[in-house]
Amino acid sequence: MRTLGRDYGCPVEFAVDALGGKWKTVILARLKQAPMRFGELRALIPTLSDKMLSERLRDIVALGLAETHEEGGVSRYRLTPRGASLQPVLQALYDWGSVNAGPMGARLAPAS
């Protein structure tokens, strides 16, 4: 498991560094719904390249937020207990985005 061995000024700074921007949180939000194969994640996030998805999944697994497991002979990614502890945070981001996207001039794709 990877560690972020540096000093942080506050817990928010650490959390933002650990989650590392847009793609990690989007991937975690999708895994919050259910365990998924690489191809399933790829189909749900079409603007993300295969290379970037692979790199971000590797980061997420290294941080102990997700893991791979065999399910019916198929490898899937799923949240670990540490990753699952992010569910309320991810839901709050989803809710905030749902309420504020339109008034801020953004369009959201239909929920899948």
Side-chain angles (χ1 to χ4, degrees):
M1 182 180 324
R2 192 179 116 204
T3 60
L4 300 172
R6 59 167 283 231
D7 295 334
Y8 292 90
C10 76
V12 172
E13 181 186 3
F14 162 74
V16 169
D17 189 30
L19 296 177
K22 176 180 174 179
W23 295 121
K24 284 183 191 173
T25 52
V26 171
I27 294 165
L28 290 166
R30 293 301 186 173
L31 292 176
K32 177 176 85 69
Q33 298 169 333
M36 295 186 191
R37 296 186 327 259
F38 181 92
E40 292 170 320
L41 284 165
R42 182 72 181 90
L44 289 170
I45 314 170
T47 56
L48 185 59
S49 70
D50 287 349
K51 179 181 181 222
M52 184 62 71
L53 178 57
S54 294
E55 289 174 6
R56 293 303 153 253
L57 282 168
R58 193 171 23 254
D59 292 343
I60 290 166
V61 169
L63 288 169
L65 300 173
E67 62 190 4
T68 56
H69 75 287
E70 293 291 320
E71 187 176 290
V74 176
S75 182
R76 296 183 188 273
Y77 290 90
R78 68 177 176 195
L79 295 179
T80 61
R82 179 181 293 156
S85 72
L86 286 167
Q87 288 180 343
V89 175
L90 296 167
Q91 188 63 50
L93 288 170
Y94 180 93
D95 294 343
W96 186 90
S98 294
V99 169
N100 291 286
M104 295 176 78
R107 291 181 304 278
L108 298 174
S112 56

